Amino acid sequence: MTHPAHTDEELSFLTHTGNLVRFAARFGPDEEVPGRPGRLARTATLGLDWTVRQYRVAPGDPHAHAALEREAAAAVALERRYGRERFGEVFTRVVGYSLDAPEPFVLYRIAGGDPLTAHGGALGAADQQQILAQLVLAVRLLEEAGLVHRALAPDSVRWDGRHVRLAEPHAALRAGEPREAFGAAPWASPEQRRGTGTADPRDDLWSVAQLGYFLAAGRPDRGEGPPADLAGFRGLAALDHGGAFAPQAAGRPAPAELMRLLNVPDPLAATAGGPDPLGRGRAEYDAQIARKRARLGLDRPPPPPEPAARPRWFGRLAPARQPAPPAAPPAPPPAPAAQATSPERLCPHCLLPVAFDPSRLVAIGPTGERVPLDLSGEIAPARLRDLLRTAYQPCPHADEDTLHELPAPYLTNGRPLTIALVGSSGVGKTHLLAAMLGEVEQGGLEPYGLKCLPLNPDTHRTFLRERVQSLQQGRELGRTGQQAFARFADGLLVTGRGPTRPVVFFDLAGEDLAQDGEVTRFLTGVDAFVFVVDPLRALRLPSLDPVRALNGLRRRDLGDEAFTTVLNRVPRDHGPYVAAPAVVALNKSDLVRVEPTVDRWLGRTLPPAYRPDEVRAESRDVHAFVAKHASPAWLRPFDDCARCTLHFVAATGGQARDDRFPHGVRPRRVLAPLLSIFAMCGLLPGADPGEAGI
């Protein structure tokens, strides 16, 4: 990826405020960057004489690209928060970034001073104390921004005689994220080197303590705990007494406490708990949830059991009875063979009841011909199960214009669950469904106690080949064509809580969903909805304007017309609320990854267990983010549906160019909406369906 120096190029990038700028640029030669795999650095002279530092990655390296995205989000967060403050100079200041360029990059101002490697044992006590004070201040500022730098070492911290400068946050993690193994002894803490536990601001305090020892002693320590000769350095007494050299983060002080021990004023003390830019949206979410719970009767505690009257024995109260042991929970219902003929077993297309009839089963041949299956003779059970896996039963209500069949497993398992993806054309519904099912195919649901099999092996194989594999190979999927009759895209047999249930997914063209016609008649029987929000259509953010212009899109303050059509049509069995569970998926969230609220969620993987409190916290943040940057119409699904969760997701992780994704496809958190639906519909083990989504 080495390029010679070249001149007179135009460089376009976004500033930390999200504004697009363009400069004529001249570049210096490439340099390898130790400790930053997949990246190259060079100088860039913007305009006549503004020289900055550029770090970039080559296309086709998803790990380096993801790390650069994380770095850009951290650098932008620090610049927005502290760029106008004098103490913000402790950080290397970001100039701009472009994460969708052919070679994604971040630009920084060039920091002055020399690395601390040149100052070990050579500085006086006053300089050492000033460096320590500024380093602990930097960690305090990082903590307030929710970040852990993780790369504080003598070669990454500079000193110009007055100010400390931390290196670019190329290894930064959000506090609370799982630690990734990074760094070397003694500068990285033992837990960080091993990659155990979760990132903690006190990880950086370990690094500060080791740097303090290096400056005082002129040599590094081993990095396993307090240095053996620590008592000989009076300037490190506060670090020693405060526990900064403790081998585990839990044994170290908080940054503010260490500042107190060092007698360093905390500039954030007076501003702690300042105004929350998303506070209004979060308060609106809380109020709406409270209204829903009150309307649905979920805010009232269960009445206490009435005490039974105690009999009297010879004028005295009889001894109180010991409470009876709690009744055993009811056994889960058996696999409902009888449900196959129940009224609940509706055809998902025409919404009329269908009974399983072995005499009407057919197989579909290679050219689409229907071949009757004769199951009247004696067939071994294993053979019968295999035949039913791929068999279909024609719907008895179909006419010549709407011929359709139902997979036999749809009629022979538990109550089906139908899920419809809703949104206008081009919002990414098909990409999101393909990314979801790709994660399912790779076992993404198994940690949650869910087992998945194809509803029909042939149709599932076709969907994987035409949709999932194409997407994973970096090809943009074509738009879903309009239909005269709604058919589901794919289906699964999901075993979790209770009996195995068929789960089928409808992915209709946005034009079909926006029309209140026959194609959308099936919506009245859908069990759950995924409302897909496109930030390009919804959000008032200047950083999205160039992408809107590139794709010929405009913002819509009236919301998504497909949302309106669907919400106006589906039944409302809870008074003003739609009964069917719903999720709102803010797709393409990678476009706004540098927004701190988005990065807080998009930058972390899904937890290995469904955590209702965490889902509620994400829903609250998505609601607040959309409420701040979009019109209220985009939150109508949350307002109208009795139970609804909201999620930041990214189906592709980047923008397509010429029908391909040049940086590959990197789905983010695409299973979160599906897990929430399964929780609300009673499929997810360990989740309370009555509390999920509200």
Side-chain angles (χ1 to χ4, degrees):
M1 183 168 82
T2 301
H3 302 286
H6 40 279
T7 59
D8 298 328
E9 291 189 20
E10 183 180 81
L11 193 66
S12 302
F13 56 89
L14 295 170
T15 67
H16 71 278
T17 59
N19 295 311
L20 179 68
V21 296
R22 293 182 174 87
F23 282 91
R26 303 185 305 279
F27 298 96
D30 286 332
E31 302 172 14
E32 298 286 347
V33 187
R36 306 190 200 183
R39 302 193 199 187
L40 286 177
R42 60 183 175 180
T43 59
T45 302
L46 308 179
L48 295 178
D49 58 0
W50 186 18
T51 301
V52 299
R53 191 81 168 163
Q54 182 193 56
Y55 295 90
R56 73 191 195 283
V57 299
D61 188 340
H63 298 293
H65 193 176
L68 192 76
E69 284 184 340
R70 190 168 60 198
E71 175 183 341
V76 168
L78 293 172
E79 183 67 26
R80 288 183 181 179
R81 200 175 188 100
Y82 305 124
R84 296 184 180 181
E85 305 288 349
R86 288 185 60 189
F87 51 74
E89 292 296 331
V90 297
F91 302 114
T92 298
R93 306 280 296 279
V94 70
V95 172
Y97 63 94
S98 178
L99 301 178
D100 280 316
E103 291 185 339
F105 63 85
V106 182
L107 301 171
Y108 293 95
R109 299 183 192 181
I110 295 178
D114 298 318
L116 291 185
T117 48
H119 298 295
L123 295 175
D127 284 343
Q128 292 180 39
Q129 290 302 307
Q130 190 173 357
I131 290 173
L132 274 180
Q134 292 187 18
L135 285 174
V136 178
L137 168 64
V139 175
R140 172 78 175 95
L141 299 176
L142 286 160
E143 176 194 41
E144 186 69 12
L147 296 169
V148 183
H149 193 281
R150 303 197 323 133
L152 303 183
D155 60 348
S156 63
V157 177
R158 307 178 79 87
W159 169 248
D160 64 5
R162 295 179 57 205
H163 297 109
V164 158
R165 298 283 191 283
L166 271 60
E168 307 83 10
H170 62 89
L173 286 180
R174 288 247 163 217
E177 292 182 45
R179 286 189 182 98
E180 297 176 1
F182 181 84
W187 319 116
S189 71
E191 292 166 308
Q192 182 177 305
R193 298 197 301 265
R194 293 193 300 266
T196 58
T198 57
D200 189 305
R202 293 171 293 183
D203 296 346
D204 287 340
L205 288 187
W206 165 277
S207 304
V208 170
Q210 296 296 329
L211 287 170
Y213 179 82
F214 170 74
L215 291 173
R219 63 183 183 277
D221 186 46
R222 294 181 301 108
E224 298 300 330
D229 58 347
L230 186 57
F233 300 97
R234 295 177 57 190
L236 303 180
L239 298 179
D240 184 15
H241 297 157
F245 289 97
Q248 293 186 322
R252 299 176 209 129
E257 174 63 15
L258 189 55
M259 292 179 74
R260 186 187 67 79
L261 294 174
L262 290 169
N263 198 26
V264 177
D266 183 355
L268 302 181
T271 59
D276 177 4
L278 299 181
R280 181 176 179 180
R282 292 188 173 105
E284 290 172 354
Y285 173 87
D286 294 340
Q288 182 72 290
I289 288 292
R291 283 193 293 270
K292 289 182 182 181
R293 294 185 67 86
R295 188 75 183 231
L296 299 173
L298 298 176
D299 61 336
R300 296 187 291 273
E306 295 185 7
R310 291 163 60 185
R312 290 182 175 270
W313 292 352
F314 304 104
R316 292 180 300 173
L317 283 175
R321 292 184 178 181
Q322 295 298 317
Q339 279 192 20
T341 58
S342 72
E344 290 184 329
R345 191 57 49 89
L346 301 179
C347 171
H349 308 286
C350 59
L351 301 183
L352 294 172
V354 179
F356 178 61
D357 185 352
S359 68
R360 303 192 68 232
L361 296 180
V362 300
I364 298 180
T367 59
E369 70 276 13
R370 273 57 175 170
V371 181
L373 279 178
D374 183 6
L375 303 181
S376 59
E378 290 191 11
I379 302 176
R383 172 63 176 158
L384 179 61
R385 284 195 300 270
D386 193 55
L387 288 172
L388 290 178
R389 282 177 63 243
T390 57
Y392 290 87
Q393 178 175 319
C395 178
H397 310 290
D399 55 34
E400 291 185 359
D401 296 327
T402 60
L403 291 176
H404 57 281
E405 300 87 12
L406 301 177
Y410 183 87
L411 300 169
T412 57
N413 286 280
R415 182 176 178 273
L417 171 62
T418 54
I419 301 173
L421 281 78
V422 180
S424 294
S425 182
V427 302
K429 301 188 302 296
T430 301
H431 289 91
L432 180 57
L433 179 58
M436 276 183 184
L437 295 184
E439 296 280 310
V440 171
E441 190 70 13
Q442 297 177 64
L445 292 179
E446 291 187 5
Y448 304 91
L450 296 167
K451 295 289 186 181
C452 301
L453 292 172
L455 181 61
N456 179 274
D458 294 330
T459 56
H460 184 65
R461 193 179 303 113
T462 300
F463 186 87
L464 291 180
R465 182 178 63 251
E466 296 180 356
R467 296 295 190 182
V468 177
Q469 291 180 6
S470 292
L471 181 63
Q472 292 179 345
Q473 291 166 2
R475 291 195 288 269
E476 185 178 24
L477 304 180
R479 293 194 174 187
T480 304
Q482 290 187 257
Q483 304 177 33
F485 181 73
R487 299 179 185 274
F488 59 80
D490 195 14
L492 300 170
L493 285 172
V494 181
T495 304
R497 178 178 180 174
T500 297
R501 295 176 64 180
V503 178
V504 295
F505 299 90
F506 282 90
D507 175 25
L508 269 65
E511 295 85 353
D512 286 336
L513 289 170
Q515 298 173 4
D516 203 1
E518 278 299 304
V519 177
T520 55
R521 182 163 61 96
F522 84 103
L523 290 170
T524 60
V526 167
D527 297 298
F529 294 94
V530 179
F531 293 92
V532 184
V533 175
D534 182 358
L536 295 173
R537 293 166 167 86
L539 303 183
R540 294 184 294 263
L541 286 170
S543 62
L544 296 176
D545 290 340
V547 190
R548 278 190 271 263
L550 186 65
N551 290 275
L553 295 174
R554 293 183 178 180
R555 267 195 321 103
R556 300 179 184 175
D557 286 336
L558 296 180
D560 193 311
E561 57 186 350
F563 292 6
T564 303
T565 302
V566 171
L567 291 169
N568 288 345
R569 185 154 191 173
V570 296
R572 304 199 176 208
D573 298 334
H574 292 297
Y577 296 122
V578 172
V583 298
V584 173
L586 184 60
N587 195 23
K588 308 178 186 177
S589 287
D590 52 285
L591 291 172
V592 287
R593 168 71 186 273
V594 299
E595 299 295 325
T597 305
V598 182
D599 182 59
R600 175 189 173 194
W601 296 102
L602 203 65
R604 66 171 74 173
T605 58
L606 289 175
Y610 188 79
R611 299 172 183 164
D613 290 346
E614 187 168 309
V615 173
R616 197 170 293 114
E618 182 185 13
S619 297
R620 191 169 182 257
D621 280 358
V622 177
H623 182 280
F625 184 76
V626 175
K628 178 177 175 62
H629 297 294
S631 70
W634 288 98
L635 289 170
R636 187 180 168 190
F638 172 75
D639 296 335
D640 284 21
C641 297
R643 290 185 294 161
C644 181
T645 62
L646 303 93
H647 303 273
F648 292 112
V649 302
T652 62
Q655 290 290 293
R657 284 192 176 85
D658 300 323
D659 301 327
R660 296 195 67 85
F661 294 96
H663 302 300
V665 171
R666 293 165 290 122
R668 311 278 179 83
R669 297 178 69 86
V670 293
L671 287 182
L674 193 56
L675 287 167
S676 285
I677 285 179
F678 286 170
M680 289 185 277
C681 293
L683 249 175
L684 191 63
D688 182 354
E691 287 291 327
I694 197 166

